[in-house]
Amino acid sequence: MCCGPMRLSDAIRSVFTEELMDAVNEFVRTSPLNAVPANSVLQTGLDGARLIDDCVFAFGDASDPLFEVQKQPQAVGPQFMAPMEWLPEALSVISFFAPFSETVKASNREIDGFPSGAWLHGRIDGQRVVFAACEFIVDWLKQRGFKAVVPSLDPRFKAVDDIRDEEGQIILEKSFRSNWSERHVAYVCGLGTFALSRGIITEKGISGRVGTIVTNAPLAFTKRPYEGLYDYCNRCGACAKHCPVNAISVEGGKQQIPCWVFLEQTKRTVAPPYFGCGKCQAGVPCESRIPARD
Ligand code: SF4
Ligand code: SF4
């Protein structure tokens, strides 16, 4: 398919979008990357275990004004690059959630303070699957005459240590922010809402990884099925109880520094590049679904 973007009817956009989703899931199901690698198994019995299940998708309008809102300090910040800054002719933003397999999730449900080997494979090797899926989407779109960019793999992507105002004064130290945010973009696209633990809760839960792509392909946009930033989080506090370093509280949300310190610690105790935790994302009501509200 290579007709000009504006000539595609809504029906063709929908079919094209469905074809894309099917192709990505077929890629994920059959990719040799979607398995614990034999040469770095962290835990007996995990060799070849599946990491990622079928993905769920949302498609945003690249000109949605909510992308500009992400430049506000209380959102991603002024360093955030909107879709058309990554790709001037952008029409759509693809956001997908790659849920961890049951093997990965079940392994990390125990509240024992230490991340399971399978979870660490999910976080690190599973992320490779997500990046490969992003690159697959770019190629798939290019073969059909469209352009696409993966901001988090683009040379312009950068993490920002400090956030400064226009005069260069530091507004926020150790910001944990960058010029693109998979989570905020997922929210704008309609994929899910924020969690107390700061992840994104989707229809397949919070346990998994998110990928995003900006393209000039005219895809069928998702109608955001929520209004508030935290609509899918029921504030049950289970994530706070699971956190080994008390980084989360129902009243105060998540504190990034203690979480970061703990993740750094796991870098030293597990074979690099493996590190992680995810105790706040496994065995909680939002692990694999949108949690019920009382
Ligand atoms: S465990 Fe409960 S409070 Fe924590 S993110 Fe999930 S739904 Fe929200
Ligand atoms: S907040 Fe950080 S340290 Fe706490 S459970 Fe979640 S990932 Fe682990």
Side-chain angles (χ1 to χ4, degrees):
M1 189 174 303
C2 59
C3 29
M6 301 314 293
R7 291 169 49 206
L8 289 178
S9 71
D10 285 352
I12 295 176
R13 279 168 92 122
S14 294
V15 170
F16 186 68
T17 306
E18 288 286 337
E19 277 179 12
L20 171 61
M21 291 190 283
D22 288 346
V24 177
N25 274 330
E26 182 61 18
F27 171 82
V28 169
R29 271 178 224 136
T30 56
S31 170
L33 291 174
N34 193 5
V36 171
N39 59 359
S40 59
V41 182
L42 294 172
Q43 206 177 306
T44 314
L46 284 180
D47 186 0
R50 185 184 173 92
L51 299 166
I52 300 290
D53 281 343
D54 277 8
C55 303
V56 283
F57 299 80
F59 301 92
D61 179 346
S63 59
D64 187 328
L66 208 45
F67 283 117
E68 283 300 320
V69 172
Q70 304 312 312
K71 292 179 185 280
Q72 294 176 0
Q74 68 274 27
V76 186
Q79 78 288 350
F80 178 76
M81 285 171 63
M84 277 178 264
E85 293 173 78
W86 294 98
L87 182 69
E89 53 275 70
L91 289 176
S92 311
V93 181
I94 303 164
S95 177
F96 66 94
F97 177 72
F100 288 145
S101 66
E102 180 61 19
T103 305
V104 171
K105 292 186 290 195
S107 70
N108 211 33
R109 286 180 190 142
E110 236 173 285
I111 311 180
D112 61 357
F114 296 100
S116 69
W119 184 272
L120 299 176
H121 281 296
R123 181 182 168 113
I124 304 300
D125 300 315
Q127 184 62 46
R128 281 197 200 105
V129 180
V130 169
F131 281 146
C134 289
E135 284 168 340
F136 171 83
I137 292 171
V138 171
D139 287 346
W140 193 92
L141 290 167
K142 278 187 180 161
Q143 284 163 17
R144 287 154 181 81
F146 298 108
K147 294 181 184 172
V149 172
V150 182
S152 49
L153 292 176
D154 192 275
R156 292 169 292 170
F157 176 84
K158 59 173 186 264
V160 185
D161 260 356
D162 302 328
I163 302 278
R164 293 169 189 264
D165 64 18
E166 283 163 7
E167 279 144 22
Q169 299 298 312
I170 293 175
I171 305 172
L172 188 63
E173 279 184 64
K174 193 79 198 146
S175 72
F176 300 100
R177 298 185 191 200
S178 50
N179 56 357
W180 184 251
S181 164
E182 310 283 14
R183 292 173 309 123
H184 290 77
V185 170
Y187 175 82
V188 177
C189 289
L191 190 69
T193 81
F194 290 90
L196 187 69
S197 57
R198 293 221 189 173
I200 280 284
I201 303 174
T202 72
E203 65 179 77
K204 287 202 174 183
I206 194 170
S207 281
R209 311 295 297 171
V210 174
T212 48
I213 298 100
V214 178
T215 178
N216 67 342
L219 300 167
F221 300 142
T222 304
K223 187 174 177 325
R224 265 193 301 279
Y226 41 75
E227 288 176 1
L229 287 173
Y230 293 92
D231 279 7
Y232 290 168
C233 174
N234 65 11
R235 299 183 72 78
C236 65
C239 50
K241 291 192 189 113
H242 282 226
C243 179
V245 292
N246 298 319
I248 305 173
S249 70
V250 174
E251 304 72 33
K254 177 177 165 184
Q255 304 303 312
Q256 294 279 35
I257 297 285
C259 173
W260 174 73
V261 169
F262 184 67
L263 296 189
E264 287 295 308
Q265 200 182 322
T266 66
K267 262 185 198 166
R268 292 190 295 274
T269 50
V270 182
Y274 293 97
F275 72 98
C277 170
K279 289 290 174 185
C280 51
Q281 297 187 357
V284 293
C286 60
E287 177 204 88
S288 304
R289 60 192 55 81
I290 298 167
R293 285 179 177 273
D294 291 336

